[in-house]
Amino acid sequence: MEAFATKVGSLAKKLAEILAEKLGQNWSLFQESCLASTCYLRLNRYPPCSIPYHIYGLMPHTDSDFLTILHQDEVGGLQLVKDGEWISVKPNPQALIINIGDLFQAWSNDFYTSVEHCVVTHPSKERFSAAYFLCPSYETVIESCSNTKPSVYTKFSFREYRQKVQEDVQRYGYKVGLPRFLV
Ligand SMILES: O=C(O)CCC(=O)C(=O)O
Ligand SMILES: [Fe+2]
């Protein structure tokens, strides 16, 4: 498990570097702030559900990180929003799925979009997935890297972001996310 985390950890940074370069930006932010101690691997288990399609395995959400690397088994159930519609992601245990998270959206000033996704349950099969979250330290301040376009979001620390998400989940039962930080 540790070897997997180390491997996907360096892949996540490499991908962040490529995405930053595409924006003509230096990627030192990820290098300096995303450490082995601030990133994490989550192992998900979804038991079968006799009333599938009505019960989510995981509610619709966006990830509160820079990017996520996901490995899923052959059962399927992951869905994401593309062009305003929910689509199913074909399961392929030989492939990794890369999701942009909220922090990349904020840092890229909406150039990249944090993708909304969920997991629907299966009537008879148990499903497993592993998700690696590329996260900075809580003190890291996220602000737009663009110096040509006005900032879409106010700058915030990762700690403030996580606190706001937690408050919203407790108060309203769901995460509001980036819209909380619109200028
Ligand atoms: O299990 C999956 O396919 C998705 C997991 C996920 O979105 C998450 O852990 O945030
Ligand atoms: Fe997720």
Side-chain angles (χ1 to χ4, degrees):
M1 204 49 75
E2 258 179 62
F4 177 73
T6 308
K7 277 233 161 87
V8 287
S10 50
L11 175 63
K13 282 196 177 175
K14 189 87 211 150
L15 290 168
E17 179 184 349
I18 293 166
L19 294 171
E21 267 176 15
K22 195 167 150 51
L23 282 170
Q25 294 295 328
N26 187 304
W27 77 297
S28 57
L29 172 71
F30 311 109
Q31 189 69 298
E32 286 156 17
S33 65
C34 300
L35 311 173
S37 56
T38 62
C39 300
Y40 61 97
L41 186 66
R42 181 154 73 205
L43 305 178
N44 299 302
R45 171 181 170 262
Y46 303 92
C49 178
S50 54
I51 40 169
Y53 315 115
H54 297 285
I55 305 282
Y56 284 115
L58 195 56
M59 294 283 287
H61 67 283
T62 56
D63 293 342
S64 304
D65 61 350
F66 279 117
L67 61 83
T68 309
I69 298 187
L70 185 73
H71 179 266
Q72 58 169 336
D73 63 15
E74 70 298 333
V75 174
L78 177 65
Q79 298 192 343
L80 57 81
V81 176
K82 188 166 181 250
D83 303 325
E85 297 207 355
W86 282 101
I87 57 160
S88 295
V89 178
K90 199 171 156 199
N92 179 357
Q94 305 303 319
L96 294 171
I97 294 156
I98 316 298
N99 274 350
I100 299 286
D102 301 342
L103 302 187
F104 226 125
Q105 177 165 344
W107 183 75
S108 71
N109 211 23
D110 276 359
F111 184 83
Y112 296 117
T113 307
S114 182
V115 65
E116 192 175 7
H117 54 285
C118 71
V119 177
V120 293
T121 46
H122 191 280
S124 57
K125 288 184 185 159
E126 179 177 48
R127 173 178 184 269
F128 292 94
S129 72
Y132 182 88
F133 297 87
L134 184 69
C135 292
S137 63
Y138 280 132
E139 284 64 45
T140 305
V141 173
I142 312 294
E143 60 182 320
S144 163
C145 66
S146 164
N147 35 29
T148 51
K149 247 183 73 188
S151 296
V152 179
Y153 307 100
T154 56
K155 67 176 175 184
F156 54 82
S157 71
F158 186 43
R159 185 185 304 281
E160 285 172 307
Y161 194 72
R162 293 300 291 252
Q163 272 169 359
K164 188 58 87 191
V165 167
Q166 231 173 14
E167 264 171 42
D168 286 339
V169 169
Q170 271 164 13
R171 192 171 303 167
Y172 307 112
Y174 59 88
K175 165 183 164 181
V176 178
L178 278 181
R180 275 272 177 262
F181 294 88
L182 283 167
V183 167

